[in-house]
Amino acid sequence: MIILKVKNLSIKEISKINRVVVEDVSFTLKKGEALGIVGESGSGKTVTAMSLLNLLSEDLMVSNGSIKFLGIDMCKSSEKDLEKIRGNQFSIIFQNPISSLNPLMKVGKQILEVIEKHQNLNKKERLNRTFEVLSDVGFKDNFLEIFNKYPHELSGGQGQRIGIAMAIANNPKIIIADEPTTALDKNIQNQILNLLKDIQKKYETAIILISHDLEVIENFTENSLIMYFGQLVESGTTKDIFSKPAHHYTAGLLASLPKNFKKGEPIKVMSGGIPGVNDIIEGCVFSPRCPMSLEKCKQQKIEFILNEKNNTGIRCINPIKDNSYEK
Ligand SMILES: Nc1ncnc2c1ncn2[C@@H]1O[C@H](COP(=O)(O)OP(=O)(O)OP(=O)(O)O)[C@@H](O)[C@H]1O
Ligand SMILES: [Mg+2]
């Protein structure tokens, strides 16, 4: 069952006319699905995620397209209706959840408040639900101790667990996790990702995982979106994208993964850099860096072609053909 449908989403910066920050993003999300969003810094991952919950900062606005969550148009809903959805059926975990908590309130109380806001439970039931989510995020023997801590008393990993506990407290249909593990060491990172996996299974929650770490996306998600300079350039199953990418940008990202190099061999990096925010590029935005760019790539705007049958999409007129990709 499709629970989120994003169609031709574009976002622009209001103060600078014509500065498009996100352009023509389309995808769907099914119940219980894990979807990855990958792309270099500044490619529009966070802005896209925030727009899904209608949480864009004041200088940004959705200029085109639609976002439908369970049939509700998120761009046209009133703030009052959105308040009922956020943190309830649709929640988000930030990169640094400790800073988004109230520093003066014990974490247990903050979880209780999120539950109280959205569920009609008595005090005892709310408390039980709080203990249950603390246990879900791995605080089994020490949940009371954690319940009584202030945010600054938490370690990075504990803070991330509390962020997840707050996000799942009302049993949402979708959780967005924006770089949830970037600030953590590898071991804690894996624990947190495994935890998200357990939650995805237990509650059949769909998870949108944003990361610039390709290995995290490969291990965790079923489907992926690859973003470049505000555009969606490739989408499909994670397995296909990682084994036979069709877009040259995706191939470039994969080719620079350290695991694809022998010890001592220099790691390849993609030539060029992401365009500057004020650069205007005619035609394909990746063409200045693309090894297979043709003259016509620079002359025309490239449409994102979505194949609805197998749910794959590509924004390239000269894609890599099946089997011609070599790591
Ligand atoms: N509030 C804002 N006002 C204007 N422009 C913004 C705002 N927030 C982000 N942007 C611009 O939107 C583009 C996309 O930013 P975004 O934060 O979504 O990138 P990202 O892919 O999440 O990068 P990172 O991996 O660094 O988190 C960037 O060019 C950024 O400068
Ligand atoms: Mg970001």
Side-chain angles (χ1 to χ4, degrees):
M1 184 179 91
I2 290 174
I3 54 176
L4 180 71
K5 194 170 172 81
V6 176
K7 214 166 168 207
N8 306 118
L9 175 71
S10 293
I11 298 164
K12 70 175 182 191
E13 195 175 349
I14 298 167
S15 58
K16 292 184 194 146
I17 304 164
N18 291 334
R19 163 125 151 81
V20 178
V21 175
V22 168
E23 189 176 15
D24 190 27
V25 170
S26 300
F27 67 93
T28 54
L29 182 74
K30 289 197 202 80
K31 186 174 183 206
E33 173 183 340
L35 175 74
I37 306 185
V38 203
E40 281 163 291
S41 190
S43 58
K45 306 180 296 291
T46 297
V47 169
T48 302
M50 295 304 267
S51 75
L52 301 179
L53 279 156
N54 202 333
L55 277 175
L56 287 175
S57 63
E58 289 198 341
D59 45 348
L60 297 173
M61 67 171 282
V62 170
S63 54
N64 191 35
S66 63
I67 300 163
K68 293 243 169 83
F69 169 60
L70 298 174
I72 303 162
D73 190 331
M74 297 296 281
C75 300
K76 293 193 180 129
S77 296
S78 67
E79 197 53 29
K80 202 170 145 224
D81 287 341
L82 291 167
E83 282 290 309
K84 286 186 200 146
I85 295 170
R86 296 182 194 129
N88 186 21
Q89 291 161 295
F90 196 160
S91 50
I92 185 160
I93 308 165
F94 295 101
Q95 182 173 355
N96 184 357
I98 295 178
S99 64
S100 57
L101 291 170
N102 177 349
L104 304 174
M105 199 191 277
K106 288 180 179 173
V107 296
K109 181 113 195 294
Q110 299 194 50
I111 300 174
L112 274 172
E113 281 198 348
V114 176
I115 296 170
E116 189 174 9
K117 186 170 171 195
H118 296 289
Q119 294 187 58
N120 194 10
L121 299 177
N122 66 33
K123 210 170 164 186
K124 184 159 177 276
E125 289 165 334
R126 285 201 298 273
L127 205 54
N128 283 340
R129 177 65 187 148
T130 302
F131 293 152
E132 186 184 20
V133 294
L134 283 172
S135 157
D136 280 341
V137 299
F139 301 121
K140 298 209 191 295
D141 304 324
N142 59 343
F143 63 88
L144 262 182
E145 186 193 324
I146 295 289
F147 184 96
N148 284 310
K149 281 197 176 194
Y150 286 95
H152 73 270
E153 296 174 306
L154 302 172
S155 69
Q158 287 175 336
Q160 199 50 265
R161 286 173 195 273
I162 294 299
I164 297 172
M166 303 268 287
I168 64 169
N170 294 312
N171 207 348
K173 297 271 186 293
I174 305 177
I175 299 176
I176 299 176
D178 190 355
E179 303 276 6
T181 58
T182 317
L184 306 172
D185 62 65
K186 229 17 201 197
N187 193 30
I188 310 274
Q189 180 176 352
N190 289 337
Q191 287 175 16
I192 297 289
L193 290 170
N194 286 338
L195 180 64
L196 279 171
K197 242 183 211 163
D198 293 344
I199 284 159
Q200 182 199 6
K201 273 196 211 119
K202 178 173 173 186
Y203 294 104
E204 271 196 275
T205 316
I207 297 183
I208 300 178
L209 180 69
I210 298 176
S211 179
H212 55 253
D213 187 331
L214 289 159
E215 285 176 340
V216 165
I217 296 290
E218 185 175 19
N219 290 333
F220 186 82
T221 65
E222 288 122 43
N223 295 302
S224 298
L225 308 176
I226 314 290
M227 289 192 71
Y228 183 76
F229 200 53
Q231 295 182 340
L232 184 56
V233 294
E234 181 163 9
S235 68
T237 67
T238 302
K239 192 164 167 267
D240 281 353
I241 288 182
F242 279 70
S243 58
K244 39 179 183 4
H247 198 284
H248 301 283
Y249 173 62
T250 317
L253 280 181
L254 293 171
S256 51
L257 270 181
K259 73 168 185 189
N260 292 333
F261 295 86
K262 290 192 199 87
K263 211 174 166 186
E265 196 184 354
I267 291 171
K268 253 192 265 168
V269 287
M270 225 184 296
S271 67
I274 319 176
V277 289
N278 294 316
D279 289 357
I280 296 169
I281 301 168
E282 303 287 340
C284 167
V285 290
F286 187 62
S287 63
R289 293 173 84 180
C290 182
M292 301 302 283
S293 154
L294 309 171
E295 206 39 55
K296 60 180 177 183
C297 298
K298 299 183 173 125
Q299 289 158 356
Q300 64 192 79
K301 217 174 163 72
I302 314 295
E303 300 289 323
F304 187 75
I305 307 292
L306 192 64
N307 179 343
E308 300 226 354
K309 252 191 231 148
N310 57 8
N311 212 14
T312 60
I314 178 102
R315 190 187 297 276
C316 180
I317 52 173
N318 185 27
I320 303 167
K321 304 278 179 303
D322 264 7
N323 306 325
S324 67
Y325 171 72
E326 275 177 50
K327 271 188 191 161

